[in-house]
């Protein structure tokens, strides 16, 4: 596995691969790799002839300095896992390479970026859209892989690619969970032992909601109340939102006719977690 930091060299190499007829799969990450990333890498490895991972903790998508400060880092471990996953190239740019000094160019997908996670974390999706645009221009991938846990991010990236006529097909892969249902996230390491014991309630409550919808319940307020009550019985951590929305547009629903996305965010003491469940038509 080649490890490069220089964006110019990454672009040169991926362009050369394309000219040679290779199909390039790309998994953009902020490091702190876990089994969720490994599932993205395994799928990308299977579907392409070349596999590229980027490892870059993007400062512009953090709305809170303490979240940026406590975001876990372990580059040697990440590089070992990337190599084990069969990556041909690991790209580890520096903040200065990604954001040269001076007033920056930013990219924003309006509308979708201002609701749910975007309302709770102002500027977050502008940071994501900006860095993903740069990553996609440098890694000339055919396909890029994103996890369904960050559903809103994935559909914003799909919209970005469609609007800017960029190439990679955006592949959304299922959320990977611990055996007790907790969605894997790099931030889970910041949970206290007590919070970690309570956290599987998020998936249990979402699964209850999905079951109710499948059983014909349509009232979004009743679904939100039921999900909220189940979570409140397990933890005093405050919820940012519980949403019952259309998966492709994130529009709130007056009646929960599938397809429905149930999504939530909760603030534990040192980790804000999100999770969601898709109830398909
Ligand atoms: O999902 C992530 O890890 C990040 O938001 C991404 C897509 C790598 C952009 O920094």
């Amino acid at each position: 596995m080649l490890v490069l930091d220089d964006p110019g060299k990454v672009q040169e190499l991926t362009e050369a691969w394309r000219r040679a007829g290779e199909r390039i799969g790309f998994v953009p990450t902020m490091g702190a790799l876990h089994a969720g990333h490994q599932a993205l890498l395994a799928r990308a490895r299977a579907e392409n002839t070349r596999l590229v991972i980027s490892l870059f903790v993007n400062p512009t998508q953090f709305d809170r300095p303490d979240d940026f400060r406590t975001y876990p880092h372990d580059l040697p471990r990440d590089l070992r896992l990337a190599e084990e996953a069969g990556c041909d190239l690991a790209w580890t740019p520096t903040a200065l390479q990604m954001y040269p000094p001076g007033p920056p160019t930013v990219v924003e997908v309006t509308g979708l970026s201002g609701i749910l996670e975007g309302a709770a974390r102002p500027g977050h999706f502008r940071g994501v859209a900006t860095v993903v645009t740069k990553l996609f221009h440098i890694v000339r991938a055919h396909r890029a892989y994103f996890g369904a846990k960050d559903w809103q991010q994935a559909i914003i990236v799909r919209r970005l690619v469609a609007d800017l006529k960029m190439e990679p097909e955006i592949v959304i892969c299922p959320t990977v969970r611990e055996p007790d249902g907790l969605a894997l996230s790099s931030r889970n390491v910041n949970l206290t032992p007590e919070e970690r014991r309570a956290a599987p309630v998020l998936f249990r409550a979402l699964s209850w909601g999905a079951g109710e919808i499948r059983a014909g319940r349509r009232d979004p307020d009743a679904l939100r109340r039921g999900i909220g009550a189940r979570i409140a019985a397990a933890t005093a951590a405050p919820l940012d939102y519980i949403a019952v929305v259309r998966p492709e547009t994130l529009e709130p629903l007056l009646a929960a006719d599938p397809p429905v996305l149930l999504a939530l965010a909760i603030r534990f003491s040192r980790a804000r977690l999100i999770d969601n469940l898709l109830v398909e038509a």
Side-chain angles (χ1 to χ4, degrees):
M1 181 180 75
L2 207 56
V3 180
L4 292 175
D5 62 3
D6 180 351
K9 292 216 167 78
V10 171
Q11 205 169 35
E12 241 169 63
L13 179 62
T14 54
E15 291 282 9
W17 282 343
R18 287 175 82 91
R19 284 195 298 277
E22 307 271 15
R23 302 289 300 174
I24 303 173
F26 177 34
V27 180
T29 80
M30 298 207 296
L33 301 185
H34 53 62
H37 297 110
Q38 285 168 312
L40 300 181
L41 290 166
R43 172 125 177 230
R45 180 69 279 173
E47 294 180 349
N48 302 279
T49 59
R50 293 287 183 178
L51 176 55
V52 180
I53 185 172
S54 61
L55 300 155
F56 176 60
V57 185
N58 173 35
T60 64
Q61 70 186 76
F62 287 83
D63 54 311
R64 292 190 355 251
D66 59 314
D67 190 25
F68 182 53
R69 236 185 1 260
T70 58
Y71 201 82
H73 301 256
D74 188 346
L75 186 60
R77 174 180 174 278
D78 287 340
L79 290 176
R80 182 170 50 74
L81 292 177
E83 179 140 40
E84 282 169 15
C87 290
D88 297 290
L89 168 63
W91 177 29
T92 58
T94 63
L96 202 60
Q97 284 168 327
M98 294 303 280
Y99 296 105
T105 300
V106 297
V107 181
E108 183 156 8
V109 177
T110 58
L112 282 175
S113 296
I115 53 179
L116 303 179
E117 281 305 284
R121 304 179 62 191
H124 169 66
F125 286 120
R126 185 173 47 233
V128 170
T130 300
V131 81
V132 165
T133 305
K134 292 174 188 241
L135 296 173
F136 285 176
H137 276 296
I138 292 161
V139 176
R140 308 280 291 113
H142 296 88
R143 297 195 188 92
Y145 295 78
F146 289 80
K149 185 180 77 69
D150 296 300
W151 182 267
Q152 187 172 2
Q153 165 172 280
I155 62 166
I156 285 174
V157 171
R158 269 201 176 147
R159 179 69 202 237
L160 170 78
V161 164
D163 283 358
L164 300 187
K165 310 281 181 259
M166 289 195 277
E167 172 155 9
E169 175 197 343
I170 304 303
V171 183
I172 304 180
C173 302
T175 300
V176 178
R177 297 182 181 279
E178 299 281 6
D180 61 12
L182 177 64
L184 294 192
S185 162
S186 305
R187 291 186 172 85
N188 290 351
V189 297
N190 293 333
L191 295 173
T192 65
E194 193 190 331
E195 289 170 343
R196 175 62 190 84
R197 276 192 295 280
V201 73
L202 304 181
F203 181 59
R204 284 202 304 278
L206 289 170
S207 303
W208 170 84
E212 291 294 294
I213 295 173
R214 286 192 203 101
R217 193 147 185 198
R218 293 289 175 262
D219 178 0
D221 287 335
L223 290 164
R224 271 194 295 271
R225 274 198 306 276
I227 292 171
R230 279 160 178 79
I231 294 172
T235 172
L239 280 158
D240 265 356
Y241 60 81
I242 300 171
V244 182
V245 294
R246 190 62 72 219
E248 293 308 320
T249 59
L250 305 182
E251 280 172 275
L253 293 172
L254 297 176
D257 292 308
V260 173
L261 184 79
L262 297 174
L264 56 77
I266 186 165
R267 286 183 192 271
F268 286 111
S269 55
R270 289 188 304 121
R272 183 175 175 283
L273 298 190
I274 57 173
D275 200 355
N276 66 71
L277 213 52
L278 184 62
V279 185
E280 295 190 84

